[in-house]
Amino acid sequence: MTADDSFNRLDDDYPAYTMGRAADMLGTTQGFLRALGEARLITPLRSEGGHRRYSRYQLRIAARARELVDQGTPIEAACRIIILEDQLEEAQRINAEYRRAAESTNPTAAA
C-alpha cells in the first residue's frame, strides 16, 4: 500500500480521530462529545480496545452542535435542530434527483 492509498482511506466516514484529538480539534471537552453520543447525535465507532473513534463527518456535526450550544441552545435542542437540518438537506437532495429524472424523461416539460 502506498502513501496515496493510505490517504484515500481517510474519507469522511473513516474513524480516524481519537476522542482526545477530536475534542482538541473542536476546542471542546471529551464530556461534550460523550453528551452528543448520549443524545444519539453521533455514534462513534469503537477501536478494538473500546476507545471512541470519530470521523470527519462526525466532527462536522459536533462542530455544528458546539456552535449552537455556544449560542445558548440547550444540547438536546441543538441535537434536534441538527437532525432536522440533516433531514431537510436529504429531502432536498432527493427532490433534486427526482426533478432531474423527470426532466431527462420528458425534456419538453422542463421548458
Side-chain angles (χ1 to χ4, degrees):
M1 179 182 291
T2 67
D4 287 339
D5 293 335
S6 297
F7 182 76
N8 289 334
R9 287 187 50 208
L10 294 176
D11 62 21
D12 272 358
D13 296 319
Y14 185 77
Y17 304 98
T18 63
M19 176 180 271
R21 179 70 180 126
D24 287 345
M25 290 171 67
L26 297 170
T28 189
T29 65
Q30 293 181 17
F32 180 77
L33 292 173
R34 278 190 216 91
L36 296 180
E38 290 169 9
R40 296 184 182 188
L41 180 63
I42 55 177
T43 304
L45 292 176
R46 298 282 185 147
S47 68
E48 289 181 18
H51 300 283
R52 291 173 178 89
R53 306 284 295 189
Y54 295 89
S55 68
R56 291 179 186 180
Y57 174 73
Q58 290 171 325
L59 294 183
R60 281 196 302 274
I61 291 172
R64 175 70 176 128
R66 179 165 186 241
E67 178 182 305
L68 290 169
V69 169
D70 286 350
Q71 294 172 1
T73 306
I75 194 164
E76 298 82 11
C79 292
R80 185 67 181 140
I81 288 167
I82 294 166
I83 289 167
L84 291 171
E85 288 173 344
D86 190 51
Q87 289 172 346
L88 175 61
E89 183 179 320
E90 178 68 6
Q92 290 172 331
R93 185 191 61 75
I94 291 169
N95 284 341
E97 286 178 15
Y98 285 147
R99 269 190 239 101
R100 282 191 297 276
E103 290 170 2
S104 68
T105 59
N106 189 6
T108 58

